[in-house]
């Protein structure tokens, strides 16, 4: 169990807060004194999952470090929508350099903090493009040196900042501007892409985890745990993108939930390269429920017949469920 | 105190005395000896406190320095050639953010064809990246310029690239005086950043700037360079006062007073040129030389002053701007705008080809007689060129020119 | 710090950028009507009192019940809880055991001696309540709270009406009834027992009452003619239950008792017969189990206790120690049709449980009062009869005859009487829109099966009149209260505050709920979608 | 030269509208230039696009600050921006609203324009009816054509069909025609 579940039943146990709970059991986001590290007035799309994810992560890290935190940001949506001069939405020390070098810049900041003995902690953050693709070299270097940085990838499965192109985190069959839904195998080809969490684990990092904006308790527990480790850590946060995926702006969290509960996005954590726990699926759903809600998969549901691609995607989900042990016993209620 | 030292080692030692707090290194010839020396000085505790970080690429090397500098640490790295181009976007970024990183550039040709020897192609490729570029004319200046560079960088909050000719200077072993720690400490105050990442006073550094302010941001970068034009001579004077030698300047003039012909160059070729000038003076030619130390900012006024009395100028430069001629000569012409004197461009010493006193004398003599073309390639193997061009005429595709020419050269032998 | 122009910025300066201008729809907090409340005949705001109970503030929870119902301990036992039938949680796992929590609160209040709320300042108006059953008691209680001077008159020797003389003890212990009545009396309500009121206008006039609420119930047993060898062996249910309560002679039933009818009273009688020592208790009912009006739980418990039921059967004749019954079949219209097939079953006594009628005698002569064809009193929406100032409720008027309806009538009548006495009309507040299951986001709720109330062991159940169902203890009551989904009403879970990508929800602090910051709300709708209980609505922006 | 400025929100097809207009005009042999104004704002944020139409080649590359026509795709913008900035008094105004200028509080203001130069059209309603989705761009372009006569309806429909294949194109073309019919000046009576 990745986050400590509340044993005694409470009304709305999985909600952000709960008036019945002790403060220590509520999420950081329930607190009136949360840092709001990413504050109002930013220019993210309505219903932006990344804006949510970044505030969740940084506010938690701010609490975990007593506010002694610096953030380094890769180029991308998160950077552009938060800091169009002359206004910034950040309320913590924040540095943006380039698209592909966030991990290395963070290494530099961490080195400065170490040499000055300040104890200030460092988070580097970027989208999936800046993490899995252009920034992967710097990131791998930061990993293998075990620099004291928590790298957070906000994964919206594509290059949304530049207009929704494919990244190596784009899922199979998804339509993007560079994997159009035409031809024999429409959308992103199967058998491509990479799992950064597994690559991070291969670096034998002290801590690697995946999290999602729909389960705040789980996400915050992971950030808190990550900040308890020294050295290089990696957190991969699933952040749906209403624009890039094509869904109504109010369904961001719902989509994140469906992705996890169908098994396509497994929530787990790994210590020293070994998976140590996973967050069980509470109400399992078929991948259909997740895919149908998005325009980027609409071509799978054009005809009268179920597309065989859906079956392949279900197989991927089932494989995750088996591999990460996402279902215990009966597997929650369907 | 003079010691017989390899220049790279002396640079490592002087860098250590500048007390950088973060040193990032990615090996590339010919700067490797510098960062190797630093790694030893950090490991043995000579340089402390300091974080020495072995990175996986030049992009990371300068990025780490960038992060460290933004977080308030004095940061240093070194690179050369392809390495500089690999980190190119970070080079622009460091200056754009106004971070006073100091970087040694062991000047080296840029491939292909791959070539590890000296010329200035690398520095010229990034001359407009917003960094201050200082060229060392000799090994001692290479050492001294680093002390000056840190102070200049931090005063202006602008990065400085110290350009040291690869092998020719970096690997030269000679008597060198490494500035003493006390003197360095007195000359170079601790780093007080203009902006810093500080949880007690948070700021966002690196905002996206749109059309409404980008021009102004760029103007201010230019303004910093203009300020450097004023500060460099002052710091050079300070340096002379404390260390007792002339290191660092906008430019160094040599026998220019009554010269009709003045040679302009940068880097290690300066010494050879001065010898050639002496010989030609002895032969009665009114010739002199100017060695540019500052290439960015470009000392337009100082250079115009130094060249004011000449009837012609010969720019000897270790780089080629294909399709134009020389980057340096174009800049020199800016200094002489409005003056009806010819500026001859001589491309010399590319990819490590020795620039010899004899060649230089031939060049200067010819120029002095206005018997050179506007663009001259010193010591060009015209036979090889002619044969290859003939082949080009026969067939559009004749195989790699470099291999053809090597084959010809073997035949010729 | 002297910051470099444009590239280095002051923290949080984006607050100058009011992204509220992006919005085409705005979120709004709403309170909706949960199905429990919507279906409660007594109008209990179940969600509201459970909200207090969830926090362990039992006193506040109990007081919230008392706003609508003065008899929580009784109701927690004897109400057939339509609320639970409507509870949205039933679509998730099982309905919240609302009655069990109510009973817990009611019992706790009795144990702790919590008083009823202090009445408002005296109005000087006097009201006569006729009938000390649940409806009359409720009316008296509410009227007293409103500051009126109330007198209850009842023909019976003890107060409680059907709570005492209709519902057996094993379902409703008498000390509970007594305690809750005592609390009302303590408020200053005068109780005059053993006084039959035959002329209501006279009683009002003579007693100087400004208004009257009559709720005398339906005590007249309906009968059918059944040929019998010994008519003494045919009893009526209501009479039998009164006898058990000590009115008149002790009942003599014999070993084999047959009960004729299919309502709750039939089951009460059959189960009572078992407790009085009958070896056989057989219910004869004309229709099928599905058509039986009795409450499902009651039937189940009766069957557990060994009561037998003859479905689709009518009693034709009562003989000596046996009865003749005729089998029925269902016609095309779903009504039972005789088959002519006869059968003989053993039976020493036949108890008729065929329903009750209202004794309309006291109202016959009252000018303006009218009656419905089936023998109820006609009242307006305000429960007033045609005679000014005379209101009726409970089993006397056309409605379901349950204790909960009765208590609801009492409250309703009290409000209208109050308005009448003040010379105005009571306007009930507009009802909120319903909080349906489809508006809930149930992912946020943990699966939690209903708490099972302890039950008396079977041997003691049939041997005594001890209460069958036990109550919840504090832990289980708290657990059960917390199963409430708070349908349609904010329970301060902080979801909207947490899930807003634009930090445009302002948390106002415990008990104060939240506010939207329309300077920054872009109108994405995530808050509404993720509100677990459906208490946020998106409304198109007006231009 | 006719200079048109279109105001809407990110995601509503503001940029596409300007482009379609330019395609339609090009079909008629006009010179047309369409260009967006990109900021760091995202979906939902107020955005603006521009279109110039002329019978001569267009060399101007500056943003349109004094438009001849202002098209407002989303009336909620009226609260937060001066969408009519720079519009001159003989210009044209087309606002997407099922209500009138009076309801929008603009009754007095639109009086400055020549008769028939300012119109509200229920483009979102028309879009819903034809597309089943509230995307008012095509419908508004039909309104623009009817109002100004600057492009013919047929050119516009052709441009729409060229951009959107199949059914989507047909539906958008129909939406444009519907709004065109609403805004076209009354034919003169014989």
């Amino acid at each position: 169990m990745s986050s400590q579940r509340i044993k005694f039943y409470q009304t709305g146990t999985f909600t952000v807060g709960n008036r019945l709970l002790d403060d220590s059991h509520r999420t950081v986001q329930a607190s009136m004194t949360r840092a709001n590290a990413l504050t109002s007035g930013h220019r993210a799309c309505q219903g932006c999952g990344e804006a949510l994810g970044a505030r969740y992560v940084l506010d938690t890290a701010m609490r975990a470090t007593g506010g002694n935190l610096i953030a380094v940001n890769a180029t991308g949506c998160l950077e552009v929508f938060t800091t169009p001069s002359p206004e910034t939405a950040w309320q913590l020390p924040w540095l943006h350099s380039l698209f592909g070098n966030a991990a290395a810049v963070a290494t530099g900041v961490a080195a400065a903090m170490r040499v000055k003995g300040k104890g200030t902690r460092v988070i580097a953050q970027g989208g999936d493009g800046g993490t899995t693709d252009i920034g992967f070299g710097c990131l791998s270097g930061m990993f293998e040196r075990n620099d004291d940085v928590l790298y957070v990838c906000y994964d919206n499965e594509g290059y949304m900042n530049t207009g929704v192109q494919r990244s190596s985190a784009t899922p199979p069959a998804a339509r993007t501007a560079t994997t159009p839904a035409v031809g024999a195998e429409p959308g992103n080809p199967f058998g491509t892409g990479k799992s950064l969490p597994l690559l991070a684990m291969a670096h034998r990092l002290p801590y690697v985890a995946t999290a999602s904006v729909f389960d705040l308790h789980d996400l915050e527990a992971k950030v808190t745990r990550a900040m308890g480790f020294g050295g290089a850590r990696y957190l991969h946060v699933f952040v749906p993108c209403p624009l890039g995926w094509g869904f109504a702006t109010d369904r961001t969290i719902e989509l994140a939930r469906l992705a996890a509960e169908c098994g396509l996005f497994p929530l787990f954590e790994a210590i020293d390269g070994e998976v140590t726990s996973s967050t069980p699926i509470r109400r399992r759903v078929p991948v259909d429920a997740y895919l149908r809600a998005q325009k980027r998969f609409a071509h799978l549901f054009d005809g009268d017949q179920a597309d065989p691609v859906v079956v392949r995607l279900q197989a991927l989900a089932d494989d995750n469920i088996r591999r990460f042990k996402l279902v215990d016993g009966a597997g929650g209620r369907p | 105190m003079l010691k017989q030292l390899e220049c790279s080692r002396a640079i490592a030692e002087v860098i250590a005395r500048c007390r950088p707090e973060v040193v990032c290194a990615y090996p590339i010839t010919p700067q490797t000896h510098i960062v190797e020396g630093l790694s030893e000085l950090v490991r043995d505790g000579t340089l402390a406190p300091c974080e020495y970080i072995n990175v996986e690429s030049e992009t990371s090397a300068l990025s780490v320095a960038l992060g460290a500098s933004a977080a308030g640490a004095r940061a240093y790295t070194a690179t050369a050639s392809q390495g500089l181009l690999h980190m190119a976007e970070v080079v622009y970024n460091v200056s754009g953010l106004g971070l006073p990183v100091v970087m040694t550039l062991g000047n080296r040709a840029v491939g292909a064809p791959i070539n590890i020897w000296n010329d200035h192609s690398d520095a010229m490729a990034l001359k407009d990246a917003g960094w201050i570029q200082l060229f060392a004319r000799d090994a001692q200046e290479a050492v001294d310029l680093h002390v000056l560079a840190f102070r200049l960088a931090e005063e202006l909050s602008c990065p400085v690239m110290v350009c040291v000719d690869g092998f020719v200077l970096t690997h030269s072993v000679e008597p060198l005086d490494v500035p003493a720690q006390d003197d360095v400490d007195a000359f170079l105050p601790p780093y007080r950043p203009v902006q810093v990442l500080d949880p007690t006073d948070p700021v966002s550094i690196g905002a996206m700037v749109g059309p409404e302010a980008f021009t102004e941001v760029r103007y201010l970068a230019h303004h910093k360079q203009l300020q450097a034009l004023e500060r460099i001579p002052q710091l050079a004077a300070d340096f002379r006062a404390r260390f007792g030698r002339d290191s660092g300047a906008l430019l160094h003039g040599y026998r220019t007073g009554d010269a009709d012909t003045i040679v302009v160059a940068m880097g290690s070729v300066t010494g050879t040129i001065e010898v050639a000038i002496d010989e030609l003076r002895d032969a009665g030619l009114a010739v002199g030389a100017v060695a540019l130390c500052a290439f960015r900012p470009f000392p337009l006024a100082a250079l115009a002053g130094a060249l004011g009395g000449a009837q012609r100028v010969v720019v000897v430069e270790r780089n080629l701007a294909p399709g134009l001629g020389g980057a340096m000569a174009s800049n020199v012409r800016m200094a002489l705008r409005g003056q009806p004197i010819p500026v001859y461009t001589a491309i010399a010493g590319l990819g490590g080809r020795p620039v010899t006193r004899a060649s230089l004398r031939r060049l200067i003599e010819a120029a002095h007689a206005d018997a050179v073309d506007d663009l001259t390639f010193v010591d060009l193997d015209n036979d090889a060129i002619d044969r290859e061009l003939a082949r080009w005429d026969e067939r559009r595709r004749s195989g790699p020119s470099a291999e053809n020419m090597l084959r010809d050269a073997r035949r010729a032998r | 710090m002297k910051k470099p122009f444009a590239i280095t910025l002051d923290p949080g300066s984006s607050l100058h950028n009011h992204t509220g201008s992006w919005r085409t729809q705005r979120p709004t907090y709403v309170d909706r009507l949960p199905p429990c409340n919507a279906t409660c005949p007594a109008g209990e705001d179940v969600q509201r009192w459970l909200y207090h109970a969830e926090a362990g503030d039992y006193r506040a929870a109990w007081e919230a019940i008392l706003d609508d119902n003065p008899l929580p301990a009784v109701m927690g036992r004897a109400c057939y809880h339509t609320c639970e039938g409507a509870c949205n949680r039933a679509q998730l796992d099982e309905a919240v055991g609302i009655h069990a929590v109510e009973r817990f609160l009611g019992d706790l209040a009795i144990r702790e001696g919590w008083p009823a709320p202090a009445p408002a300042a005296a109005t000087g108006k006097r009201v006569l309540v006729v009938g000390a059953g649940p409806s009359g008691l409720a009316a008296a209680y509410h009227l007293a709270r409103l500051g009126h001077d109330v007198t209850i008159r009842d023909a019976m020797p003890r107060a409680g009406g059907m709570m005492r003389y209709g519902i057996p003890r094993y379902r409703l212990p008498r000390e509970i009834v007594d305690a809750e009545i005592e609390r009302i009396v303590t408020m200053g309500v005068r109780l005059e027992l053993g006084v039959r009121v035959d002329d209501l206008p006279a009683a009002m006039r003579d007693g100087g009452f400004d208004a009257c609420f009559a709720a005398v119930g339906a005590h007249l047993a309906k009968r059918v003619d059944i040929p019998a060898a010994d008519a003494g062996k045919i009893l009526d249910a209501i009479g039998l239950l009164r006898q058990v309560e000590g009115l008149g002679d002790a009942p003599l039933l014999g070993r084999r008792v047959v009960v004729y009818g299919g309502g709750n009273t039939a089951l009460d009688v059959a189960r009572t017969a078992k407790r009085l020592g009958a070896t056989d208790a057989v219910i004869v009912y004309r229709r099928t189990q599905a058509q039986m009006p009795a409450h499902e739980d009651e039937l189940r418990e009766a069957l557990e206790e060994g009561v037998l039921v003859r479905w689709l059967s009518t009693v034709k004749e009562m003989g000596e120690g046996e009865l003749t019954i005729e089998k029925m079949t269902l016609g095309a219209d779903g009504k039972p049709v005789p088959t002519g097939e006869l059968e003989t079953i053993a039976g020493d006594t036949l108890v008729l449980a065929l329903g009750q009628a209202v004794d309309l005698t006291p109202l016959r002569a009252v000018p303006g009062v009218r009656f419905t064809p089936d023998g109820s009193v006609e009242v307006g929406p305000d429960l007033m009869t045609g005679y000014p100032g005379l209101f009726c409720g409970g089993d006397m008027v056309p409605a379901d005859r349950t204790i909960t309806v009765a208590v609801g009538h009492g409250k309703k009548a009290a409000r209208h009487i109050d308005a009448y006495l003040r010379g105005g009309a009571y306007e009930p507040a507009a009802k909120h829109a319903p909080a349906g299951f489809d508006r809930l986001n149930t992912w946020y709720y943990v699966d939690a099966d209903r708490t099972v109330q302890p039950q008396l062991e079977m041997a003691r159940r049939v041997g005594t009149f001890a209460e069958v169902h036990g109550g919840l203890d504090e832990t289980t009551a708290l657990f059960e209260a917390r199963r409430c989904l708070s349908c349609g009403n904010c329970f301060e879970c902080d979801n909207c505050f947490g899930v807003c990508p634009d930090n445009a929800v302002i948390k106002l602090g415990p008990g104060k709920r939240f506010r939207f910051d329309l300077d920054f709300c872009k109108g994405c709708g995530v808050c509404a979608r993720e509100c677990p209980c459906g208490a946020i609505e998106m409304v198109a922006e007006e231009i | 030269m006719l200079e048109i400025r279109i105001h809407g929100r990110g995601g509503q097809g503001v940029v596409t509208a300007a482009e379609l207009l330019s395609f339609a005009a090009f079909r008629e042999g006009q010179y047309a230039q369409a260009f967006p104004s990109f900021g760091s704002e995202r979906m939902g944020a107020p955005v603006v696009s521009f279109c110039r139409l002329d019978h001569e080649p267009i060399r101007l590359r500056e943003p349109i600050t004094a438009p001849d026509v202002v098209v407002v795709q989303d009336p909620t913008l009226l609260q937060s921006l001066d969408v009519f900035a720079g519009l001159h008094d003989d210009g044209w105004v087309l606002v997407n609203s099922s209500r009138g200028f009076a309801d929008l509080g603009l009754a007095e203001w639109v009086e400055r324009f020549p008769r028939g130069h300012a119109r509200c059209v229920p483009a979102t309603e028309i879009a819903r009816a034809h597309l089943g989705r509230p995307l008012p761009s095509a419908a508004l372009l039909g309104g623009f054509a009817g109002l100004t006569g600057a492009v013919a309806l047929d050119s516009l429909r052709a441009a729409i069909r060229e951009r959107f294949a199949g059914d989507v194109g047909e539906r958008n073309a129909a939406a444009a025609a519907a709004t065109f019919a609403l805004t076209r000046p009354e034919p003169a009576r014989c």
Side-chain angles (χ1 to χ4, degrees), chain A residues 19-20, chain C residues 50-59 61 474 478 482:
Chain A
R19 68 191 173 96
L20 305 176
Chain C
L50 280 174
Y51 178 86
H52 294 299
E54 286 157 30
D57 190 350
Y58 304 123
R59 176 92 185 243
E474 186 181 337
L478 188 68
R482 289 178 174 187

Side-chain angles (χ1 to χ4, degrees), chain A residues 9 16-17 30 40 44 55 282, chain C residues 14 443 493 498 500 503 507 522:
Chain A
Y9 170 74
V16 167
S40 307
R55 193 186 74 223
R282 277 204 296 129
Chain C
S14 62
W443 186 86
C493 71
C500 176
N503 309 15
K507 181 172 176 172
K522 292 173 186 160

Side-chain angles (χ1 to χ4, degrees), chain A residues 131-152:
Chain A
T131 303
T132 69
D133 295 336
I134 194 170
F136 183 61
C138 288
L139 183 60
S140 177
M142 186 276 269
F143 281 170
E144 64 84 13
R145 290 187 302 270
N146 202 24
D147 295 327
D148 186 29
V149 174
L150 169 62
Y151 190 100
V152 184

Side-chain angles (χ1 to χ4, degrees), chain C residues 407-418:
Chain C
V407 166
H409 283 175
K411 179 178 79 170
K412 186 174 172 184
R415 289 181 180 169
H416 286 290
I417 291 169
D418 178 63

Side-chain angles (χ1 to χ4, degrees), chain C residues 330-385:
Chain C
L330 279 190
D333 58 355
K335 287 185 176 164
V337 184
T339 61
E341 190 185 333
L342 299 178
E343 195 184 337
T344 304
I345 60 170
D348 300 320
T349 314
L350 173 65
V351 185
L352 301 178
L354 300 167
Q356 289 104 249
V358 182
D359 179 4
L360 297 171
T361 318
L363 289 147
R364 288 272 181 225
V366 179
V369 174
R370 295 195 310 197
F371 306 98
T372 62
D374 63 351
S376 298
V377 182
E378 242 183 55
V379 287
D382 55 357
L383 297 181
M384 189 154 80
T385 64

Side-chain angles (χ1 to χ4, degrees), chain C residues 17 20-24 522 541-543, chain D residues 9 44-45 74-76 79-80 99 104:
Chain C
N17 183 38
S21 67
W22 300 21
R23 192 177 55 243
T24 55
K522 292 173 186 160
E541 279 291 342
E542 279 284 313
I543 287 288
Chain D
R9 294 183 182 279
D74 189 330
T76 57
Q79 290 177 324
S80 48
R99 305 190 287 164
L104 298 175

Side-chain angles (χ1 to χ4, degrees), chain C residues 41-87:
Chain C
E44 279 195 32
D45 194 345
V46 176
Q47 180 273 330
R48 183 166 70 98
W49 61 256
L50 280 174
Y51 178 86
H52 294 299
E54 286 157 30
D57 190 350
Y58 304 123
R59 176 92 185 243
W62 179 79
E63 283 174 353
I65 297 177
L66 251 64
D67 286 347
D68 297 299
N69 164 25
L71 309 165
V74 169
M75 202 81 101
R77 291 171 165 86
C79 172
Y80 289 117
H81 40 76
T82 45
C83 51
E84 295 181 27
C87 177

